[in-house]
Amino acid sequence: MTHPWWKTSVVYQIYPRSFMDSNADGMGDLNGIISKLDYLALLGIDVIWLSPVFKSPMDDNGYDISDYDDIAPEFGTLADMDRLIAEARVRDIKIIMDLVVNHSSDEHPWFESARQSKDSPYRDYYIWREAQPDGSLPNDIRSYFGGPAWTFNPATNDYYFHQFSTKQPDLNWDNPAVPDAVYAMMNRWLDRGIAGFRMDVIDLIGKDVDNKVLANGPTLHSHLQAMHQATLKGRDALTVGETWSVTPETARLYSAPEREELSMVFQFEHITLTFDPVHGKWKPREFDLVALKQVFAKWQTELAGNAWNSLFWNNHDLPRAVSKYGDDGTYREASAKALATALHGMQGTPYVYQGEEIGMTNVAFESIDDYQDIETRNLYSERLEQGDSPEALMAAIHKNSRDNARTPMHWNGSDNAGFTTAKPWLKVNPNYTTINVEQSLADQNSIFHHYQRLIQLRKTNTTLVDGQFELLFPDRPQVFAYLRKTDAETLLVAANLSTERLTLQLPDKLRTETARVLICSGTPVTGVSQQLELAAYDAVIVSLS
Ligand code: GLC
Ligand code: CA
């Protein structure tokens, strides 16, 4: 079977502010990334997803763009970007960029013009409503970052709509000039040599604000189909939509090839499993492996053959996987490797978030002042006003603040983890002295080398790409185990996600004398034919035929 290239690729996400600072201003930048391309090539990844590097007032760290065609000066120049694309290509690495077009910055020239007068030619690029007759807000939609989704604009005596911060006004996709401008901009970037896009909150672009339909709105898929025709068709790009609202049924609408929309989407069901139904991520539930396995099994089975999964534990909005699902103390290395094995064994395109490959952990700054993330800071002040205690709020922040993922990358044990020689924009996690790239590269059994082996295996073993998924031991709360089957081969993937030593009795049909261990994360495994013994947090991938 021949595959589109993105089905056999592994993607690495870079959060540019926090990756590598090349000019001693405390902020990561494009030249810093270029200086680490050899490291990424060594890891073996095929694609870099670059979080936004466009010109921006940085209210939401670049997810608020004021010029889609230029690079933020703190990150570099267009010439640096061209050099990054070229230097990556030399190493067989493609670059995809973040497409943030549900909203722009309020400092984008379109909005600056639109907010001045109802006669502005850009007025209709955004969403405006008058107050209700009694003077209240147009409706009660709330912003994800706290407060109402409507902000008053004195010059025009009405309100603009924003689902994120007040500095991120939503674009009006019902005005054909907006998609036209977006598609032209996408083509300019694709022509410049990038290989596709990660599409920020793309499930929100088809909204119907008056009927309070935001995600998965009525015009979403017609926009995505028009976008495909106008930009992606014939380009062989990788596109991945960020879609918190997606279900297996709607995933097919986005990613069934004949519909010509996207390559794949990020689904978040495994993430939201630990969210409280009312308070969301700020009041997390205990992690439940049995429920988690059911979610993955559902996505694996339902998308097989007619759509494509993206596989991830981490990104720049989420806590560190080893802290959330593993054990970031005694078993940090083992549990990071077990989680990686469980994820990379499934069908789909794996995404690795910077630092995940060395097992970076959550951080617990004592003072709210050490947090930079707008969501975290807004939440803290809003909930404090509502009467929550600072202790409870800090505990929630330690678990789920987006800054957990955003502390600078740990390159070595020197000051500021080798990320910068200046004061970093966000404090480093103090555990960099023991958790860092230099240390991980020096140890053949490190998390880094385990990721390297997993990535390599995906390139040589087609069962990992094509094999059908079958969950094993669904009710056992300590182990995530499944099969991947083709006519030619059956793979067994088993990860002990507990500190107990486990014995897994293999079903008769799986017993074979010729079992071969392809990957083993810890204690070497032998004699898989009858039963499989797994020490605490050990994981294996075994070929059973
Ligand atoms: C997405 C991004 C997040 C950002 C938000 C608004 O969820 O991943 O970082 O704050 O969209 O653009
Ligand atoms: Ca810099």
Side-chain angles (χ1 to χ4, degrees), residues 60 63 100 103 145 164 168 198 200-201 242 244 316-317 402 406:
D60 187 17
Y63 283 91
V100 188
H103 44 268
F145 292 163
F164 295 89
Q168 292 167 297
R198 175 268 187 182
D200 192 61
V201 290
E242 185 204 17
W244 285 79
H316 65 292
D317 295 328
R402 304 195 299 182
R406 299 176 180 185

Side-chain angles (χ1 to χ4, degrees), residues 65-207:
I65 296 171
S66 55
D67 185 349
Y68 290 96
D69 286 292
D70 207 351
I71 301 294
E74 47 271 69
F75 293 145
T77 61
L78 280 169
D80 295 333
M81 186 65 208
D82 288 340
R83 213 155 54 80
L84 172 59
I85 295 170
E87 287 291 325
R89 182 174 293 143
V90 170
R91 295 162 177 85
D92 268 333
I93 295 174
K94 298 181 168 70
I95 309 261
I96 67 171
M97 291 180 95
D98 224 303
L99 183 76
V100 188
V101 291
N102 171 69
H103 44 268
S104 73
S105 162
D106 66 336
E107 296 181 37
H108 192 290
W110 296 338
F111 191 77
E112 288 187 328
S113 167
R115 78 183 317 167
Q116 273 165 32
S117 147
K118 292 192 174 172
D119 299 325
S120 156
Y122 296 104
R123 174 76 182 169
D124 207 22
Y125 276 46
Y126 297 90
I127 299 170
W128 304 91
R129 295 287 182 275
E130 314 233 307
Q132 295 192 48
D134 67 357
S136 56
L137 296 173
N139 65 28
D140 62 1
I141 302 178
R142 308 277 302 168
S143 142
Y144 283 108
F145 292 163
W150 298 100
T151 290
F152 187 65
N153 183 50
T156 52
N157 194 34
D158 55 4
Y159 291 83
Y160 66 89
F161 181 69
H162 56 91
Q163 295 185 74
F164 295 89
S165 90
T166 55
K167 288 182 67 61
Q168 292 167 297
D170 274 46
L171 285 160
N172 175 19
W173 278 73
D174 290 337
N175 171 7
V178 167
D180 282 353
V182 168
Y183 303 159
M185 174 271 286
M186 289 170 70
N187 279 324
R188 288 192 292 276
W189 280 109
L190 290 163
D191 292 345
R192 244 190 149 98
I194 66 165
F197 295 99
R198 175 268 187 182
M199 301 187 182
D200 192 61
V201 290
I202 200 70
D203 57 343
L204 304 182
I205 64 170
K207 61 199 153 256

Side-chain angles (χ1 to χ4, degrees), residues 508-524:
D508 279 347
K509 61 172 184 175
L510 294 180
R511 294 185 182 177
T512 147
E513 298 309 313
T514 54
R516 268 183 314 128
V517 177
L518 304 182
I519 294 255
C520 169
S521 75
T523 323

